[in-house]
PDB file of all heavy atoms in Angstrom:
ATOM      1  N   ARG A 333      -1.936   5.711  22.549  1.00 98.00           N
ATOM      2  CA  ARG A 333      -0.591   5.050  22.532  1.00 98.00           C
ATOM      3  C   ARG A 333      -0.274   4.526  21.140  1.00 98.00           C
ATOM      4  O   ARG A 333       0.877   4.549  20.711  1.00 98.00           O
ATOM      5  CB  ARG A 333      -0.586   3.859  23.514  1.00 98.00           C
ATOM      6  CG  ARG A 333      -0.093   4.225  24.874  1.00 98.00           C
ATOM      7  CD  ARG A 333      -0.030   2.975  25.748  1.00 98.00           C
ATOM      8  NE  ARG A 333       1.044   2.065  25.346  1.00 98.00           N
ATOM      9  CZ  ARG A 333       1.054   0.779  25.640  1.00 98.00           C
ATOM     10  NH1 ARG A 333       0.069   0.225  26.305  1.00 98.00           N
ATOM     11  NH2 ARG A 333       2.055   0.014  25.282  1.00 98.00           N
ATOM     12  N   VAL A 334      -1.285   4.037  20.431  1.00 98.00           N
ATOM     13  CA  VAL A 334      -1.057   3.519  19.076  1.00 98.00           C
ATOM     14  C   VAL A 334      -0.602   4.672  18.186  1.00 98.00           C
ATOM     15  O   VAL A 334       0.371   4.577  17.437  1.00 98.00           O
ATOM     16  CB  VAL A 334      -2.337   2.843  18.493  1.00 98.00           C
ATOM     17  CG1 VAL A 334      -2.083   2.389  17.059  1.00 98.00           C
ATOM     18  CG2 VAL A 334      -2.770   1.669  19.356  1.00 98.00           C
ATOM     19  N   GLN A 335      -1.297   5.816  18.304  1.00 98.00           N
ATOM     20  CA  GLN A 335      -0.876   6.943  17.480  1.00 98.00           C
ATOM     21  C   GLN A 335       0.523   7.408  17.823  1.00 98.00           C
ATOM     22  O   GLN A 335       1.334   7.723  16.959  1.00 98.00           O
ATOM     23  CB  GLN A 335      -1.875   8.126  17.638  1.00 98.00           C
ATOM     24  CG  GLN A 335      -1.408   9.346  16.826  1.00 98.00           C
ATOM     25  CD  GLN A 335      -2.373  10.486  16.831  1.00 98.00           C
ATOM     26  OE1 GLN A 335      -3.443  10.397  17.405  1.00 98.00           O
ATOM     27  NE2 GLN A 335      -1.973  11.587  16.196  1.00 98.00           N
ATOM     28  N   ARG A 336       0.841   7.427  19.129  1.00 98.00           N
ATOM     29  CA  ARG A 336       2.192   7.851  19.519  1.00 98.00           C
ATOM     30  C   ARG A 336       3.252   6.902  18.945  1.00 98.00           C
ATOM     31  O   ARG A 336       4.303   7.328  18.482  1.00 98.00           O
ATOM     32  CB  ARG A 336       2.323   7.888  21.043  1.00 98.00           C
ATOM     33  CG  ARG A 336       1.855   9.183  21.657  1.00 98.00           C
ATOM     34  CD  ARG A 336       2.447   9.421  23.026  1.00 98.00           C
ATOM     35  NE  ARG A 336       2.169   8.352  23.963  1.00 98.00           N
ATOM     36  CZ  ARG A 336       1.023   8.177  24.618  1.00 98.00           C
ATOM     37  NH1 ARG A 336       0.041   9.051  24.449  1.00 98.00           N
ATOM     38  NH2 ARG A 336       0.825   7.167  25.463  1.00 98.00           N
ATOM     39  N   ARG A 337       2.924   5.635  18.931  1.00 97.00           N
ATOM     40  CA  ARG A 337       3.894   4.625  18.439  1.00 97.00           C
ATOM     41  C   ARG A 337       4.111   4.799  16.925  1.00 97.00           C
ATOM     42  O   ARG A 337       5.199   4.666  16.425  1.00 97.00           O
ATOM     43  CB  ARG A 337       3.323   3.244  18.764  1.00 97.00           C
ATOM     44  CG  ARG A 337       4.028   2.089  18.149  1.00 97.00           C
ATOM     45  CD  ARG A 337       5.216   1.645  18.950  1.00 97.00           C
ATOM     46  NE  ARG A 337       6.122   0.847  18.120  1.00 97.00           N
ATOM     47  CZ  ARG A 337       7.335   0.458  18.455  1.00 97.00           C
ATOM     48  NH1 ARG A 337       7.824   0.787  19.631  1.00 97.00           N
ATOM     49  NH2 ARG A 337       8.074  -0.260  17.661  1.00 97.00           N
ATOM     50  N   ARG A 338       3.033   5.084  16.187  1.00 97.00           N
ATOM     51  CA  ARG A 338       3.119   5.080  14.708  1.00 97.00           C
ATOM     52  C   ARG A 338       3.223   6.480  14.089  1.00 97.00           C
ATOM     53  O   ARG A 338       3.564   6.615  12.910  1.00 97.00           O
ATOM     54  CB  ARG A 338       1.899   4.365  14.112  1.00 97.00           C
ATOM     55  CG  ARG A 338       1.771   2.922  14.497  1.00 97.00           C
ATOM     56  CD  ARG A 338       2.958   2.067  14.090  1.00 97.00           C
ATOM     57  NE  ARG A 338       3.265   2.217  12.681  1.00 97.00           N
ATOM     58  CZ  ARG A 338       4.463   2.013  12.133  1.00 97.00           C
ATOM     59  NH1 ARG A 338       5.485   1.641  12.882  1.00 97.00           N
ATOM     60  NH2 ARG A 338       4.640   2.178  10.857  1.00 97.00           N
ATOM     61  N   GLY A 339       2.953   7.510  14.886  1.00 97.00           N
ATOM     62  CA  GLY A 339       2.904   8.855  14.326  1.00 97.00           C
ATOM     63  C   GLY A 339       4.220   9.320  13.758  1.00 97.00           C
ATOM     64  O   GLY A 339       4.280   9.861  12.630  1.00 97.00           O
ATOM     65  N   MET A 340       5.323   9.041  14.474  1.00 95.00           N
ATOM     66  CA  MET A 340       6.625   9.521  14.005  1.00 95.00           C
ATOM     67  C   MET A 340       7.013   8.823  12.685  1.00 95.00           C
ATOM     68  O   MET A 340       7.484   9.468  11.755  1.00 95.00           O
ATOM     69  CB  MET A 340       7.671   9.260  15.096  1.00 95.00           C
ATOM     70  CG  MET A 340       8.978   9.959  14.906  1.00 95.00           C
ATOM     71  SD  MET A 340      10.195   8.878  14.141  1.00 95.00           S
ATOM     72  CE  MET A 340      10.600   7.750  15.452  1.00 95.00           C
ATOM     73  N   ALA A 341       6.804   7.526  12.605  1.00 94.00           N
ATOM     74  CA  ALA A 341       7.115   6.788  11.373  1.00 94.00           C
ATOM     75  C   ALA A 341       6.354   7.389  10.195  1.00 94.00           C
ATOM     76  O   ALA A 341       6.893   7.564   9.101  1.00 94.00           O
ATOM     77  CB  ALA A 341       6.770   5.313  11.550  1.00 94.00           C
ATOM     78  N   THR A 342       5.080   7.710  10.435  1.00 96.00           N
ATOM     79  CA  THR A 342       4.243   8.283   9.355  1.00 96.00           C
ATOM     80  C   THR A 342       4.777   9.654   8.929  1.00 96.00           C
ATOM     81  O   THR A 342       4.883   9.941   7.723  1.00 96.00           O
ATOM     82  CB  THR A 342       2.801   8.433   9.872  1.00 96.00           C
ATOM     83  OG1 THR A 342       2.383   7.186  10.391  1.00 96.00           O
ATOM     84  CG2 THR A 342       1.869   8.846   8.751  1.00 96.00           C
ATOM     85  N   THR A 343       5.117  10.459   9.913  1.00 95.00           N
ATOM     86  CA  THR A 343       5.608  11.808   9.585  1.00 95.00           C
ATOM     87  C   THR A 343       6.872  11.754   8.760  1.00 95.00           C
ATOM     88  O   THR A 343       7.038  12.478   7.765  1.00 95.00           O
ATOM     89  CB  THR A 343       5.890  12.600  10.902  1.00 95.00           C
ATOM     90  OG1 THR A 343       4.746  12.506  11.716  1.00 95.00           O
ATOM     91  CG2 THR A 343       6.224  14.050  10.625  1.00 95.00           C
ATOM     92  N   VAL A 344       7.796  10.849   9.139  1.00 93.00           N
ATOM     93  CA  VAL A 344       9.065  10.768   8.399  1.00 93.00           C
ATOM     94  C   VAL A 344       8.825  10.271   6.962  1.00 93.00           C
ATOM     95  O   VAL A 344       9.338  10.855   5.992  1.00 93.00           O
ATOM     96  CB  VAL A 344      10.049   9.813   9.134  1.00 93.00           C
ATOM     97  CG1 VAL A 344      11.274   9.545   8.279  1.00 93.00           C
ATOM     98  CG2 VAL A 344      10.446  10.400  10.484  1.00 93.00           C
ATOM     99  N   VAL A 345       8.016   9.236   6.812  1.00 92.00           N
ATOM    100  CA  VAL A 345       7.814   8.671   5.466  1.00 92.00           C
ATOM    101  C   VAL A 345       7.045   9.665   4.597  1.00 92.00           C
ATOM    102  O   VAL A 345       7.371   9.874   3.398  1.00 92.00           O
ATOM    103  CB  VAL A 345       7.104   7.302   5.548  1.00 92.00           C
ATOM    104  CG1 VAL A 345       6.792   6.776   4.180  1.00 92.00           C
ATOM    105  CG2 VAL A 345       7.980   6.321   6.293  1.00 92.00           C
ATOM    106  N   GLN A 346       6.023  10.323   5.153  1.00 95.00           N
ATOM    107  CA  GLN A 346       5.322  11.325   4.351  1.00 95.00           C
ATOM    108  C   GLN A 346       6.238  12.509   4.017  1.00 95.00           C
ATOM    109  O   GLN A 346       6.146  13.078   2.942  1.00 95.00           O
ATOM    110  CB  GLN A 346       4.058  11.821   5.098  1.00 95.00           C
ATOM    111  CG  GLN A 346       2.944  10.798   5.104  1.00 95.00           C
ATOM    112  CD  GLN A 346       1.614  11.385   5.556  1.00 95.00           C
ATOM    113  OE1 GLN A 346       1.568  12.315   6.377  1.00 95.00           O
ATOM    114  NE2 GLN A 346       0.514  10.838   5.062  1.00 95.00           N
TER     115      GLN A 346
END
Side-chain angles (χ1 to χ4, degrees):
R333 267 184 70 202
V334 177
Q335 177 175 357
R336 274 202 303 281
R337 170 84 199 171
R338 297 302 306 155
M340 193 263 287
T342 308
T343 308
V344 172
V345 176
Q346 286 193 330

